[in-house]
Amino acid sequence: MLLTYQYKLNPTPQQVVTMETWAELLRRHYNYALGQRLDWLNRTRSQIDRCSLVSEPIGKILEKVDYYTQASDLKRTKELFPEYKTIYADCQQQNLMRLDKAWKRWLIPDKNGKRGGRPRFKKRGDICSFTFARVNSSKAGAHLVGNTLKLSKIGEIEVILHRPIPNGFEIKQATILRKADGWYVSFSLEDKTVPATLPIDEIKTATGIDVGLEKFLTTADGQSIAVPQYYRKAQATLARQQRKLARKIKGSKNYHSSANKVARLHLHVARQRKEFHYQVAHWLVNSYDLIVFENLNIKGLARTRLAKSILDVAWGGFLQIVQAVAVRRGKHCLGIDPKGTSINCSGCGARVEKTLAVRVHRCGCGLVIDRDWNSALNLLNMDRLDYRFLAAEA
């Protein structure tokens, strides 16, 4: 099991300049490597004995460009551009690996037949991180000794260890990244003592959770949690800072200072939301052995007029956190098709048509409860749970 622990760094001004220079050079190399791949794709789009329907460049057809060919060209890159000699080799290779993953996500469909978007050229400042693939080994470029992080060609940087790294965890890699409020390091930790998943026949408590905009979630027990609306509450402050930013001369020191204030506000909202998600996730996992949720089409819902509210609650991020916390505790999570959960009666199974404006479920069988509670009960109905799926996961 891999976990990520993130810590604040306290670099010197000279180290900040070095890391910013690295990020900019890696951005340029990323764009050059992406251009190579796109050029190869355009030249080989049609077979050699056919004509393309669109205009294509002519000339020598290059060999296939992939990670291995581009990684082997790094030596030539350093000869032509000596400034790349100042960057640790592993960081340059990891930069090419990042491009390779984006390229494969675009061209190769996943198990659901979906593909990612076409990789884009990065603007100045878009790449603000680089990765050391090995930590605390003989050939590693990063070493953590106490609260000091020793980085090859950068030097020693103080790490603010606000929580200790757990005993028995092995640091696999370190990613240095820049945020609006400074520089951070993310350690990828491997824990080989993964807790055993709770056997199916030992599940004692289970619940269904229905997420919404009026209430963040409602459980099958009738408990509900209010929507915190962190972004909505910060909108007035954000709007004021953005108006100040719009009055600044683009590219000036005042412009960059004002832009940083806006970025810090967005970062604060994101951290508030993430902390709230973790608190709710730990409460659910501590209370129940099995959590059933809806597999919602969140991207589709985010294209509606409720987009701002849907993105503010961030259901997708929350459900990912719940599943990650459940795995660490050996508990079960199960996502099912949401079709009919809001319409069907949890008491008798009859269909009770209602619009989104109707917040109370009223059925002819006499059941009158909150519609979100009714949906959570439907999620928990035993005939909807595929225990064979759970058994396969275990």
Side-chain angles (χ1 to χ4, degrees), residues 146-376:
N147 66 337
T148 301
L149 181 63
K150 298 180 180 179
L151 300 178
S152 178
K153 301 190 177 183
I154 294 179
E156 298 183 356
I157 305 178
E158 180 189 1
V159 183
I160 302 175
L161 293 172
H162 62 276
R163 59 174 174 175
I165 295 177
N167 293 329
F169 282 59
E170 180 184 357
I171 304 178
K172 303 300 290 184
Q173 66 180 24
T175 300
I176 312 299
L177 66 156
R178 182 183 64 232
K179 294 189 176 182
D181 61 343
W183 288 86
Y184 290 80
V185 58
S186 291
F187 291 120
S188 293
L189 310 176
E190 183 180 20
D191 180 17
K192 299 181 180 179
T193 60
V194 179
T197 306
L198 187 69
I200 303 300
D201 54 359
E202 294 184 15
I203 294 178
K204 297 179 181 179
T205 55
T207 190
I209 57 172
D210 180 78
V211 293
L213 298 178
E214 184 178 354
K215 294 182 284 291
F216 179 71
L217 66 80
T218 304
T219 68
D221 302 335
Q223 301 183 74
S224 61
I225 297 176
V227 176
Q229 292 188 328
Y230 294 117
Y231 179 76
R232 292 279 187 181
K233 293 176 181 177
Q235 266 190 295
T237 306
L238 274 168
R240 185 165 58 252
Q241 288 295 338
Q242 286 169 334
R243 285 195 297 270
K244 291 181 180 180
L245 175 63
R247 291 194 289 266
K248 301 294 187 293
I249 299 175
K250 193 169 185 179
S252 65
K253 289 186 177 180
N254 286 338
Y255 178 88
H256 290 300
S257 176
S258 187
N260 181 257
K261 290 180 181 179
V262 174
R264 281 171 177 263
L265 283 171
H266 281 291
L267 184 62
H268 178 65
V269 171
R271 285 171 172 168
Q272 284 181 306
R273 186 185 296 118
K274 190 173 183 179
E275 175 66 18
F276 170 74
H277 286 170
Y278 268 104
Q279 289 176 355
V280 176
H282 280 287
W283 170 71
L284 284 172
V285 173
N286 288 336
S287 303
Y288 305 100
D289 298 331
L290 170 63
I291 302 166
V292 187
F293 59 88
E294 298 174 303
N295 282 326
L296 297 172
N297 180 15
I298 299 174
K299 287 186 178 179
L301 293 171
R303 297 190 186 100
T304 65
R305 59 188 179 88
L306 299 174
K308 185 182 291 185
S309 297
I310 291 171
L311 295 174
D312 192 11
V313 293
W315 295 327
F318 168 69
L319 293 176
Q320 287 181 354
I321 289 174
V322 169
Q323 294 175 74
V325 173
V327 169
R328 290 179 59 186
R329 301 288 187 85
K331 303 294 183 70
H332 294 277
C333 275
L334 178 62
I336 65 174
D337 186 2
K339 185 177 181 181
T341 54
S342 298
I343 297 175
N344 297 339
C345 177
S346 59
C348 64
R351 290 178 63 85
V352 182
E353 301 288 346
K354 46 187 173 289
T355 63
L356 285 174
V358 179
R359 306 309 305 171
V360 178
H361 171 80
R362 301 178 186 273
C363 182
C365 67
L367 182 63
V368 181
I369 58 173
D370 182 84
R371 66 174 291 159
D372 295 336
W373 189 1
N374 178 71
S375 298

